Amino acid sequence: MTRVVLLGGGYVTLHTYATLARRAGRRLRRGDLEIVVISADTAHRFHGFTGELLAGMIDRDRVATPLAEAMPLARIIEGRAVRIDAAGRSLSYRRHDDGDVETLTYDHLVVGTGAREPVAEVPGLAEHGYALRGPDEIADLADHLATVPGSPVVVAGGGIAGAELAAAIADRGHPVTLVHSRAHLVGEWSDQPRLAARAARELERLGVRVVTGVRLTEVTPTAAQLSDGTSLATATVVATTGQRPVRIPGLDPWRDERGRLRTQPTLAVRYGVWAAGDGARVEHPVTGEPVPANALWAMKGGDHIGRAIAGRLRGRTAGRFTYRGLGRAASFGFGHGISELYGVPFTGTLAWILRLGFFLRFMPSRSRAAGVVADLSRFALAPRRRAASNAPQPVTGLTTSPA
């Protein structure tokens, strides 16, 4: 029997499984092939609609699909990998933080554990702030915001994720300050200045105060401390300040300077070990530059790995990863968005619809995708809230830069 172990419950795992099950389904049903998923979260969290969830547009159940439902032919283990023995083709894992270490051998290992916000780098952030990538963290933030309606919020990080998050929370009725260490927002769109400028205008429309050139240095239960000495009074701090790959001991010789697993053109790290997603350095097939850390590239990476493993089962050599990209999108409230499709920019309602259609297409559950449409339809017919106009006020001086 051939055993394929998938680490993590994100996009890489789901798409590797789906492609492998489609191409080697008979082997799975006969018992000649076993797929084992090891994940600390028992559900797949679809992050595409995080903004809609936090803004109160959709129900939390829409973005969480149980792994057993999404991957019915796989054996699901709730736990965390603690060490990989690449030479011996085995890995050690714990089912619970205080559980015994168990060992599992594999023929193919797919590392899709992704990355997390570096909350430990800012004193107090882990204890008093919120992040988005861990199990139930988005739902926890949504619950917290519901208990403090209209209260000030500080969002740290001005990339696409931070801008979308700030817009969603402001659209919910909270005054928001967006703090960004660089001079310009949404640096991912530096090649599309028109879209970057539109993002800034959308944040202004929603009343989000943007502060650039400073970073978050400390979080307390009642304030956010910034690098220029400013203290912002707030009970809610959300971090979107980049990401650090989840590191599992045993694969360090294949990591780059940022901790990402270096992949070959086939997405193999070494024979029998594959990687894609936010925790991997995948090079663009044309430019040779690392591909963006976003869901679409993780999905396509998973698809490719699934095909490669299915081919190996038939004695074939794995081909090169040839996906070249499709585009990017961001939402700034119902009917407001920016998007890029094959380099062509779109704004406003059309951009928002393009983004919606794309995300619905890639949701792992058709029933939950239909639920998103139903929720958004109800939201469109409901009385609209006015966005907050007053962002968190500084205890000490604050320099506000144009968005």
Side-chain angles (χ1 to χ4, degrees):
M1 181 186 70
T2 299
R3 177 181 288 147
V4 178
V5 177
L6 312 179
L7 297 183
Y11 301 108
V12 174
T13 288
L14 259 67
H15 284 257
T16 299
Y17 167 86
T19 301
L20 190 52
R22 187 170 61 250
R23 291 176 173 249
R26 289 184 181 179
R27 289 175 180 259
L28 268 174
R29 287 183 284 272
R30 289 199 308 258
D32 298 335
L33 170 66
E34 182 186 31
I35 299 177
V36 180
V37 176
I38 300 177
S39 172
D41 195 345
T42 58
H44 168 71
R45 312 288 170 174
F46 188 82
H47 285 185
F49 291 121
T50 295
E52 284 79 0
L53 171 61
L54 293 179
M57 298 181 191
I58 64 174
D59 187 81
R60 67 170 60 190
D61 291 339
R62 310 303 189 198
V63 299
T65 303
L67 297 183
E69 175 186 323
M71 297 178 284
L73 298 178
R75 176 157 65 103
I76 312 296
I77 297 175
E78 183 181 1
R80 297 179 185 274
V82 296
R83 185 164 189 84
I84 296 169
D85 179 359
R89 292 200 184 187
S90 69
L91 63 90
S92 302
Y93 67 93
R94 280 194 177 94
R95 292 183 183 270
H96 305 285
D97 290 340
D98 57 351
D100 295 334
V101 175
E102 302 178 50
T103 301
L104 189 68
T105 59
Y106 64 82
D107 296 282
H108 293 276
L109 175 67
V110 181
V111 183
T113 45
R116 295 292 309 276
E117 296 89 349
V119 294
E121 296 179 4
V122 179
L125 182 56
E127 297 82 3
H128 309 299
Y130 292 84
L132 303 176
R133 293 174 176 269
D136 290 326
E137 286 185 334
I138 296 173
D140 289 345
L141 174 59
D143 288 344
H144 168 74
L145 292 173
T147 66
V148 287
S151 63
V153 175
V154 173
V155 175
I160 293 175
E164 276 196 301
L165 192 70
I169 296 174
D171 204 28
R172 188 182 178 121
H174 291 265
V176 178
T177 291
L178 176 60
V179 177
H180 189 44
S181 62
R182 300 186 180 182
H184 301 286
L185 295 178
V186 292
E188 301 96 324
W189 262 312
S190 59
D191 58 338
Q192 289 279 1
R194 174 189 169 194
L195 294 182
R198 180 59 176 263
R201 291 197 297 273
E202 292 289 355
L203 291 174
E204 183 180 4
R205 175 183 64 83
L206 290 165
V208 175
R209 172 184 288 142
V210 176
V211 184
T212 58
V214 297
R215 56 185 175 81
L216 185 69
T217 58
E218 185 180 357
V219 179
T220 73
T222 58
Q225 310 293 335
L226 307 183
S227 58
D228 64 351
T230 298
S231 178
L232 293 175
T234 180
T236 309
V237 178
V238 188
T240 65
T241 50
Q243 50 196 337
R244 302 290 184 272
V246 175
R247 300 179 71 129
I248 303 170
L251 296 178
D252 288 342
W254 295 278
R255 295 189 183 278
D256 68 3
E257 68 283 353
R258 292 174 54 183
R260 299 172 297 184
L261 289 172
R262 294 189 182 92
T263 62
Q264 302 167 22
T266 60
L267 300 191
V269 176
R270 55 162 290 158
Y271 191 85
V273 179
W274 311 80
D278 297 352
R281 180 189 174 97
V282 175
E283 294 184 354
H284 194 282
V286 176
T287 66
E289 296 296 319
V291 302
N294 63 37
L296 181 57
W297 285 98
M299 294 173 186
K300 295 301 183 180
D303 289 338
H304 177 84
I305 292 172
R307 289 193 300 271
I309 294 176
R312 286 275 177 85
L313 295 177
R314 299 185 181 95
R316 299 174 183 171
T317 301
R320 297 171 62 91
F321 180 59
T322 59
Y323 181 68
R324 299 187 177 190
L326 175 63
R328 298 163 290 187
S331 173
F332 296 96
F334 190 91
H336 297 268
I338 59 176
S339 65
E340 171 200 346
L341 184 62
Y342 294 117
V344 179
F346 299 91
T347 59
T349 303
L350 177 57
W352 185 85
I353 292 173
L354 288 173
R355 172 185 174 275
L356 175 63
F358 174 82
F359 286 157
L360 291 173
R361 161 67 179 81
F362 282 102
M363 289 191 74
S365 166
R366 295 299 93 201
S367 63
R368 286 178 173 78
V372 168
V373 174
D375 287 351
L376 290 176
S377 298
R378 284 192 290 270
F379 184 85
L381 298 174
R384 303 301 301 276
R385 296 182 300 268
R386 291 180 61 87
S389 58
N390 296 313
Q393 295 300 314
V395 176
T396 60
L398 175 71
T399 301
T400 303
S401 301

